[in-house]
Amino acid sequence: MSEERASFGSKLGIIMATAGSAVGLGNIWRFPYMTGKNGGAAFILIYIVCVIVLGIPCMISEFIIGRHGAANTARAYTRLSNGTIWKLVGYLEVLTGFLITGYYAVISGWCLNYVYASVMGELNGDPAFVKNYFVEFSQDPIRPVFWTIAIFAITHFIIIHGVRNGIEKASKLMMPTLFVLLLVIVVAAWMLPGASKGIDFLLKPDFSKVNSDVFLGALGQCFYSLSIGMGCLCTYASYFSRHTNITTSAIQIGFVDLMVALLAGLMIFPAAFSVGINPDSGPSLIFITLPNVFNQAFSGAPLLGWAVSLMFYALLFLAALTSLISLHEVNTAFFYEELHISRKAGAWIVTVFCCIIGALCSISIGHKSGLSLFGLDLLDLFDFVTGQLMLPVVGFFMCLFVGWYIPKQIVIDELTNWGTLKFSFYKLFIFVMRFVCPLCILAIMLHQFGVI
Ligand code: PHE
């Protein structure tokens, strides 16, 4: 391993930065909705099994590749594959990260706008007003682009300060803030009249809703939520030290990610149920349903409503920002190492190109822009191509790479920190990477295209 390569300074820094990548919009806007739709606690149980059986082993695999490759994701794969065709998986991970960065920034920019709108009290009004606010904002040709650029400016600023002074410092500040905000909002939501109905709904297992869709939904959610297959885990692992225990780190990060997702559910459902609104999914949940919930739930205490709304969007913004930083870093590391330029120059390339992608995605949402491909606006298109096509393909080959291709000794060395740690599940781990994970991912893909 090269001596000068940047590294994280502490164990806490590693957990905070990597959990920062994992904890994102997927935890807050997708998980609660999936749980509500797919049988409450029954879904949560299946999800937990997916995280343990598939998510954590895949995370460990990305850590193995990243730490052993000690370079950006593309070069790490190239090194471990001795330049054979397997290196394409690394390049594909970088490309997926690149494409996701642009559109993830657009949604993150929306969150930032809503922080601003909360501060200014712009979201107060009846449901029709709130809906109209979102439609007008998201279709405006300028405002969302402005916020996308603003969020890139913040990300860029953090990235150019390097791994330890930028990413690690920022994560150590932002992640604890995020937890505190989350806990405060959960408590505020639970104090609302009728909140217990929401908790009951979320925690009551309904096994009658469990079918193959639910299993595959849990699997897809688990991969997305843990940031598997986009180079983020691999890139961050290249900054781990030789003493980092990658197995326990993966377990801790998986646990934090799960806790945030559960707490998000325990915040959104009680609040929504207390005013009799059924939570929606995706953008409409975050940007239309929830402002209404806050307005109605706290109509008797407007100042509290103002504070909760502000805290919620700040929480969302932090969750999105730490994920965006990890996506940006995948590409920054790629450009500066492959083009032999400075870190700053690499970061500029990513920022400029991703700003352009983000701006195009943002503009294409407006009805009149005419900017679309295959009948989808660019935001949906990027989401589909990366999330539903590229991610599973990359994940599938990553499992085969670790399970079948790379020398077993490398896996053993990485799991035991060159013989200094005990790791008794080696055979089980290899079995999971060889058979269980690839077959499950294959099932997700076939299911997505209606084959099974
Ligand atoms: N894991 C993030 C979330 O839950 C999404 C993400 C995926 C972020 C990949 C970075 C990289 O929202």
Side-chain angles (χ1 to χ4, degrees):
M1 269 183 230
S2 120
E3 285 304 317
E4 314 102 66
R5 191 170 171 75
S7 65
F8 287 119
S10 65
K11 220 173 116 191
L12 183 72
I14 289 177
I15 304 295
M16 289 297 153
T18 319
S21 171
V23 171
L25 299 171
N27 299 58
I28 301 173
W29 87 12
R30 198 148 176 266
F31 181 84
Y33 163 75
M34 297 277 290
T35 307
K37 192 178 117 200
N38 292 322
F43 177 82
I44 296 179
L45 262 160
I46 296 169
Y47 182 75
I48 293 176
V49 173
C50 286
V51 169
I52 296 173
V53 176
L54 302 163
I56 292 178
C58 282
M59 200 185 235
I60 294 175
S61 297
E62 288 220 19
F63 286 168
I64 292 176
I65 298 167
R67 186 166 69 170
H68 206 84
N72 69 75
T73 307
R75 194 181 294 188
Y77 272 88
T78 307
R79 281 186 181 154
L80 264 81
S81 64
N82 299 316
T84 56
I85 187 122
W86 284 101
K87 70 179 179 205
L88 287 184
V89 184
Y91 280 88
L92 215 57
E93 283 206 21
V94 175
L95 181 64
T96 314
F98 192 75
L99 296 178
I100 290 185
T101 311
Y103 89 78
Y104 203 83
V106 175
I107 314 282
S108 312
W110 291 358
C111 300
L112 196 53
N113 173 72
Y114 270 64
V115 172
Y116 171 79
S118 299
V119 173
M120 306 306 279
E122 282 177 9
L123 302 171
N124 304 337
D126 60 16
F129 171 84
V130 171
K131 181 163 183 201
N132 199 32
Y133 177 91
F134 176 67
V135 173
E136 271 188 4
F137 166 73
S138 60
Q139 299 200 349
D140 191 289
I142 309 221
R143 279 157 69 210
V145 177
F146 166 79
W147 289 109
T148 305
I149 295 174
I151 202 149
F152 266 124
I154 302 172
T155 311
H156 184 88
F157 178 78
I158 294 170
I159 291 283
I160 57 172
H161 280 83
V163 174
R164 217 176 266 202
N165 286 326
I167 301 174
E168 183 171 351
K169 245 192 197 164
S171 309
K172 273 164 121 175
L173 189 77
M174 293 194 283
M175 290 308 283
T177 315
L178 183 149
F179 292 125
V180 173
L181 289 175
L182 188 56
L183 287 176
V184 173
I185 309 174
V186 168
V187 172
W190 284 21
M191 279 166 27
L192 293 168
S196 59
K197 273 186 284 167
I199 304 175
D200 286 351
F201 174 78
L202 200 65
L203 297 185
K204 204 177 60 209
D206 180 357
F207 287 98
S208 69
K209 285 203 179 139
V210 175
N211 54 21
S212 59
D213 278 359
V214 174
F215 273 98
L216 296 169
L219 255 175
Q221 171 68 15
C222 158
F223 276 69
Y224 184 79
S225 189
L226 294 175
S227 307
I228 290 165
M230 280 175 257
C232 298
L233 302 175
C234 198
T235 306
Y236 275 10
S238 73
Y239 307 131
F240 287 6
S241 87
R242 284 173 75 94
H243 305 292
T244 308
N245 184 335
I246 53 182
T247 315
T248 50
S249 301
I251 294 171
Q252 286 162 348
I253 293 157
F255 179 75
V256 170
D257 190 67
L258 180 68
M259 280 303 121
V260 173
L262 289 177
L263 283 172
L266 288 173
M267 151 180 100
I268 288 170
F269 274 88
F273 271 51
S274 86
V275 288
I277 293 178
N278 214 352
D280 232 319
S281 74
S284 45
L285 165 71
I286 301 292
F287 300 113
I288 299 175
T289 312
L290 287 181
N292 280 324
V293 169
F294 297 144
N295 284 338
Q296 291 174 35
F298 299 100
S299 57
L303 200 62
L304 187 62
W306 177 84
V308 169
S309 164
L310 174 57
M311 283 192 290
F312 176 76
Y313 289 107
L315 159 85
L316 210 59
F317 162 67
L318 290 180
L321 181 62
T322 44
S323 296
L324 193 62
I325 292 170
S326 72
L327 284 164
H328 198 296
E329 178 62 21
V330 173
N331 298 291
T332 299
F334 173 76
F335 282 114
Y336 87 79
E337 286 178 357
E338 296 309 306
L339 302 180
H340 305 287
I341 50 179
S342 68
R343 181 179 179 83
K344 257 192 188 153
W348 270 115
I349 297 181
V350 181
T351 302
V352 169
F353 277 102
C354 290
C355 266
I356 296 173
I357 297 181
L360 289 175
C361 285
S362 187
I363 293 168
S364 88
I365 296 176
H367 282 326
K368 290 174 228 94
S369 73
L371 211 62
S372 66
L373 268 178
F374 312 115
L376 293 173
D377 67 49
L378 295 188
L379 196 82
D380 286 341
L381 184 73
F382 276 105
D383 185 31
F384 175 75
V385 171
T386 53
Q388 311 212 22
L389 292 181
M390 295 175 78
L391 258 187
V393 172
V394 170
F396 178 75
F397 286 109
M398 188 269 290
C399 296
L400 296 185
F401 185 58
V402 172
W404 295 93
Y405 183 82
I406 60 177
K408 284 198 178 124
Q409 194 53 44
I410 291 185
V411 178
I412 294 175
D413 284 348
E414 287 293 334
L415 291 174
T416 62
N417 282 359
W418 294 269
T420 56
L421 298 171
K422 246 177 78 98
F423 185 88
S424 334
F425 302 106
Y426 172 72
K427 287 217 170 95
L428 182 65
F429 174 76
I430 288 291
F431 176 76
V432 169
M433 292 321 291
R434 283 191 168 180
F435 302 105
V436 184
C437 287
L439 285 176
C440 289
I441 299 175
L442 202 62
I444 302 185
M445 286 195 281
L446 295 179
H447 185 74
Q448 251 161 19
F449 294 104
V451 183
I452 55 168

